[in-house]
Amino acid sequence: MATTGSPTFPEVGGHAALDLVDTVHWRLDPRRSIDTLGTFDDVVAWCDQMGVLPGSAEQVTRLAASAPEAAAREHAAVLALREAVYQAVFDSSAAAADHVAAEHLAALGRATFERDADQVSWSWRLPADLSGPRSAVALLAHSLLTSDLAAARQCGDDACGWVYLDTSPRHNRVWCTAAGCGNRNRVARHQAKRRTARPDGARPA
């Protein structure tokens, strides 16, 4: 888990779909778990930070304000996609992978295939409406699941739960961040060793 001074949303995953999973803080400790995508506007802000939002954040949040029930459905759908990514990658859930695949096909069904401004390539254009964030997340999720997942890891902290691609030279990355969980666990181990080394009941000078 990152400390203060980090971006609005974590970007430690090495892939935006894993960064999406990391919007749940302390995933492995239900007592402390925090979902930073508490509203549809949070989802819009996340997509905007990741550079995948179709249209402008102001435009999409304005649409959400005028259609709150539809926005709530889209919000729930994005959270379901997020959890499907986690379950497909780290639990090898076929049902979760099927959910991602279905959302990917639906996103392409809402998109148009257009010539890029450079006139040398074509790409999918997602709608700049309330379904835009879900469509963007679906494309990210599909991109991750169809890539090499051999480097996918979960932070070694007992409670953190953040996930990432281990691209370290020796493929031995243990923590989401060295400054966050890495440092906290090193300090905890050091303190535990000092307590073990002291006689029972002894106090440090």
Side-chain angles (χ1 to χ4, degrees):
M1 193 69 56
T3 56
T4 58
S6 60
T8 303
F9 297 101
E11 296 186 43
V12 304
H15 190 290
L18 294 181
D19 290 330
L20 178 69
V21 172
D22 291 342
T23 57
V24 176
H25 297 194
W26 308 113
R27 175 180 286 275
L28 303 182
D29 185 350
R31 297 171 302 171
R32 287 192 288 171
S33 182
I34 301 170
D35 190 341
T36 61
L37 299 184
T39 67
F40 181 76
D41 285 357
D42 293 331
V43 171
V44 172
W46 183 87
C47 289
D48 194 39
Q49 178 177 314
M50 298 297 157
V52 298
L53 181 68
S56 70
E58 181 181 359
Q59 172 189 2
V60 180
T61 54
R62 189 164 55 246
L63 290 172
S66 64
E69 292 183 359
R73 288 192 296 270
E74 291 297 327
H75 175 235
V78 168
L79 299 191
L81 256 173
R82 179 187 65 189
E83 297 312 301
V85 169
Y86 179 75
Q87 292 162 12
V89 176
F90 294 96
D91 296 335
S92 300
S93 168
D98 286 345
H99 182 76
V100 171
E103 285 284 9
H104 179 251
L105 289 175
L108 294 183
R110 294 188 293 270
T112 56
F113 202 46
E114 299 178 4
R115 193 76 176 265
D116 289 336
D118 58 16
Q119 297 294 304
V120 297
S121 60
W122 294 73
S123 60
W124 291 105
R125 293 287 186 271
L126 301 178
D129 59 17
L130 290 180
S131 72
R134 174 161 56 109
S135 296
V137 166
L139 266 58
L140 291 173
H142 182 266
S143 168
L144 176 67
L145 264 59
T146 54
S147 67
D148 184 353
L149 295 173
R153 302 282 188 275
Q154 189 159 33
C155 180
D157 184 86
D158 290 340
C160 172
W162 276 7
V163 297
Y164 55 87
L165 296 177
D166 180 6
T167 57
S168 62
R170 299 172 68 178
H171 302 289
N172 60 349
R173 178 178 170 187
V174 175
W175 313 111
C176 57
T177 65
C181 284
N183 184 64
R184 186 174 59 258
N185 279 271
R186 283 190 294 272
V187 170
R189 285 198 302 270
H190 176 69
Q191 292 175 341
K193 287 180 180 178
R194 290 186 63 186
R195 286 194 297 270
T196 302
R198 292 199 302 269
D200 290 344
R203 294 178 178 272

